[in-house]
Amino acid sequence: MTARRSVARRLATTGAGVVGILAVGAVAAFGGVLTDRVPDAEVVDPVEHVTVAPAQDVLVCPGPARLTDPEAVGDAQFGPAPVGTTSALRAAVGGDATSTLTPLDGGAAAELDAGADTEGPAATTVEDPSVGSVLAVRPGEGDPPRPAASVGSVTTAGDLRGLAAASCVRPGISHWLVGGSTEVGSSAQLVLQNPGLTPATVQVTAWGQGGQAVLAGGGQQLVGPGEEVVTLVEAAAPEQRRLVVHVEASGGLVSAYLQHTTLDGLVPLGVDDVVPGAQPAQAVALTGFQSGGEAVDDPHAPRLRVLAPGPDAGTARVVVHGEDGVVPLRGVEEVALTPGVVTDVSLGGLPEGRYTVAVHADVPVVAGGSVDRRGEPDPDLLHEERQYDRAWIAAVPLTVPESTGPARAGQVALVPRTSSSLSLAAVPVDDEAGDPPAGEVELVVRAYAVDGTLLGEETVAVPAGATTTLAASSLRPEDSDDAPATVTVDVVRGVEGVVPLWSVLASAGPPSGDEGDRTPSLLSVLLPVTDGTAPREVAVRASGTAGLGQ
């Protein structure tokens, strides 16, 4: 079943380019012949280097959490929530950029304050958005704008109980969504968004525990300009316990995500957005895993999901990076990969703490992960069974950084009314090198208020092969009432062959009810938004004519 949301107002995107200049290479290629054909060309103008601003940057934001229609799913377990869902979108832009936020329902575009007179990005919050939104940022001539945006929905009871949150992403032609399921009690809504001016033809492919799934209708969708299309994956590919979805677009750029909701009978087991992860590669990593000390056979232990989508079988080695470095975990030294078959790997048996997981395979793979957090007992059930929330984690490519010098590592707009902590990791690229390289990756973490004012910063040294944590609230001065709205991470000094990675673990809702445990029971993991195209210098030479001939 598919739902469409058309819009009257659409976003025009432009490609980067410069009109009205002659490239130096073109002049040199024609040599003296060109100057002979240009009048009064006895004096050749000198070459000048001009800074060219990039085209506008576009981030597409998920919509709020939606309850699946039980009549459409054919599953009576899904029903109305007894409490409302509170949603918020936060967008942050810095520098002297010009930016607008446009809802994907035909609503008016709103101009955002970029915080040009402040130290960091200024944030704008939109309460209870009804659909997804598009953040369009056109950089100015000053500092790069460091755009970031996120959406979060909190529901404290009922079938939608959980925190569904995600950073907004750039549209593209290929998205891998690793997570979710379509077995009885689960719902996976595939949301396709087209922020552009041209229709996009989308091909959807799905894999499960038995291999590639045969999709009803062939898996092809047409997403019109400015449209948001919602499809129930369980209607096209039912009974998939382990799900991976690939979205390919032609004719236009799209964004895609899955909203995954799970029930165990009448007990809510969480809701979250499965967002795009890394394209197939032989080395990927995921940061933000949290272990409560669950056993290997605990169904709520952290899990890693892996798929080799190509035709070849292979083997993957899973490396877990904890606070003190690599943590041995039996059973993950060699994971057999059957082509086209989705495999889940339990990460139970880890001590309590925060972890980063690297996957090194001899064939290209895609990967994702999940983390469960126990909540309070459900008072409406006879045995007061425990409720859970689930967060899905997307993978990022594990590639060697261009240098070990200073670099920007991205930014996250923190979800309003949540508490946030950062997972900071330094992951070696080469798994065959034995012990991790010596040294520490030095990172600077900064927190900014809503108006872009710097609240505080901290330099964190992360040993190669390790994962550390930092609470966003610790960056706020004790005498300040301002909550951090945006966090940025910059690399001060790297280590050769080591990739700095980070994510934000957002928490909300009431505590679990366990004695002495005040941790909020709802959670979600957000990946940072990296900078868009940076300004670049182009060599140009003035010309007295608009063309080459007379």
Side-chain angles (χ1 to χ4, degrees), residues 358-373:
V359 180
H360 303 270
D362 53 10
V363 293
V365 298
V366 293
S370 65
V371 179
D372 288 4
R373 182 179 287 178

Side-chain angles (χ1 to χ4, degrees), residues 112-490:
L112 305 186
D113 178 11
D117 298 327
T118 60
E119 299 170 86
T124 300
T125 302
V126 177
E127 297 290 350
D128 294 320
S130 59
V131 293
S133 300
V134 179
L135 175 64
V137 181
R138 186 175 293 280
E141 296 181 356
D143 294 334
R146 302 200 76 160
S150 66
V151 174
S153 297
V154 176
T155 311
T156 57
D159 295 348
L160 269 184
R161 180 189 178 277
L163 169 59
S167 291
C168 306
V169 300
R170 295 180 175 93
I173 60 172
S174 174
H175 301 291
W176 287 89
L177 309 172
V178 184
S181 67
T182 62
E183 61 183 344
V184 174
S186 292
S187 175
Q189 300 180 47
L190 174 62
V191 184
L192 305 172
Q193 300 163 310
N194 179 359
L197 287 172
T198 58
T201 300
V202 174
Q203 179 64 49
V204 179
T205 310
W207 291 262
Q209 66 276 4
Q212 184 172 336
V214 178
L215 299 182
Q220 194 168 90
Q221 296 271 6
L222 181 65
V223 186
E227 272 195 345
E228 182 178 87
V229 178
V230 183
T231 302
L232 297 177
V233 182
E234 53 266 34
E239 296 302 319
Q240 302 296 330
R241 295 193 313 275
R242 302 185 291 270
L243 183 65
V244 173
V245 173
H246 184 210
V247 172
E248 296 175 282
S250 60
L253 304 181
V254 301
S255 66
Y257 68 95
L258 290 170
Q259 181 196 291
H260 180 231
T261 311
T262 306
L263 296 175
D264 182 6
L266 298 176
V267 182
L269 294 183
V271 59
D272 200 16
D273 293 335
V274 181
V275 298
Q279 298 293 312
Q282 292 182 252
V284 297
L286 309 88
T287 186
F289 285 97
Q290 185 176 46
S291 171
E294 297 88 353
V296 176
D297 58 352
D298 190 328
H300 297 291
R303 287 193 171 278
L304 172 71
R305 180 166 295 181
V306 184
L307 166 69
D312 299 325
T315 302
R317 172 173 164 78
V318 179
V319 183
V320 181
H321 300 272
E323 182 180 3
D324 298 320
V326 175
V327 180
L329 188 63
R330 294 183 58 185
V332 301
E333 296 88 352
E334 288 191 0
V335 178
L337 300 174
T338 302
V341 174
V342 182
T343 301
D344 276 4
V345 180
S346 173
L347 300 179
L350 291 172
E352 185 175 342
R354 201 79 63 86
Y355 297 93
T356 299
V357 173
V359 180
H360 303 270
D362 53 10
V363 293
V365 298
V366 293
S370 65
V371 179
D372 288 4
R373 182 179 287 178
R374 189 167 71 167
E376 69 278 12
D378 190 332
D380 295 329
L381 298 179
L382 180 63
H383 300 290
E384 293 193 344
E385 297 174 75
R386 288 283 188 165
Q387 304 172 100
Y388 283 82
D389 191 23
R390 176 169 296 167
W392 287 99
I393 305 172
V396 297
L398 201 55
T399 54
V400 178
E402 293 181 358
S403 74
T404 58
R408 290 184 168 184
Q411 45 277 341
V412 170
L414 303 181
V415 178
R417 295 180 293 276
T418 64
S419 58
S420 299
S421 62
L422 283 70
S423 301
L424 305 164
V427 182
V429 174
D430 187 1
D431 179 50
E432 304 297 331
D435 294 332
E440 297 176 329
V441 173
E442 190 174 316
L443 306 172
V444 173
V445 183
R446 296 182 176 90
Y448 297 92
V450 170
D451 63 0
T453 302
L454 178 66
L455 293 176
E457 64 179 63
E458 184 170 334
T459 300
V460 181
V462 184
T467 301
T468 190
T469 61
L470 178 68
S473 59
S474 68
L475 301 173
R476 180 182 62 185
E478 294 182 0
D479 58 351
S480 174
D481 294 329
D482 292 327
T486 310
V487 290
T488 66
V489 175
D490 295 324

Side-chain angles (χ1 to χ4, degrees), residues 30-116:
F30 285 94
V33 176
L34 176 62
T35 54
D36 289 342
R37 298 177 64 184
V38 177
D40 303 322
E42 292 83 359
V43 179
V44 178
D45 291 327
V47 171
E48 295 185 12
H49 292 272
V50 177
T51 300
V52 180
Q56 72 175 6
D57 196 6
V58 174
L59 298 177
V60 184
C61 301
R66 308 173 175 92
L67 188 65
T68 302
D69 182 359
E71 293 184 2
V73 181
D75 188 350
Q77 292 184 145
F78 286 96
V83 299
T85 297
T86 302
S87 301
L89 181 155
R90 174 171 281 166
V93 181
D96 58 353
T98 301
S99 56
T100 57
L101 187 65
T102 307
L104 278 169
D105 62 357
E111 288 197 14
L112 305 186
D113 178 11

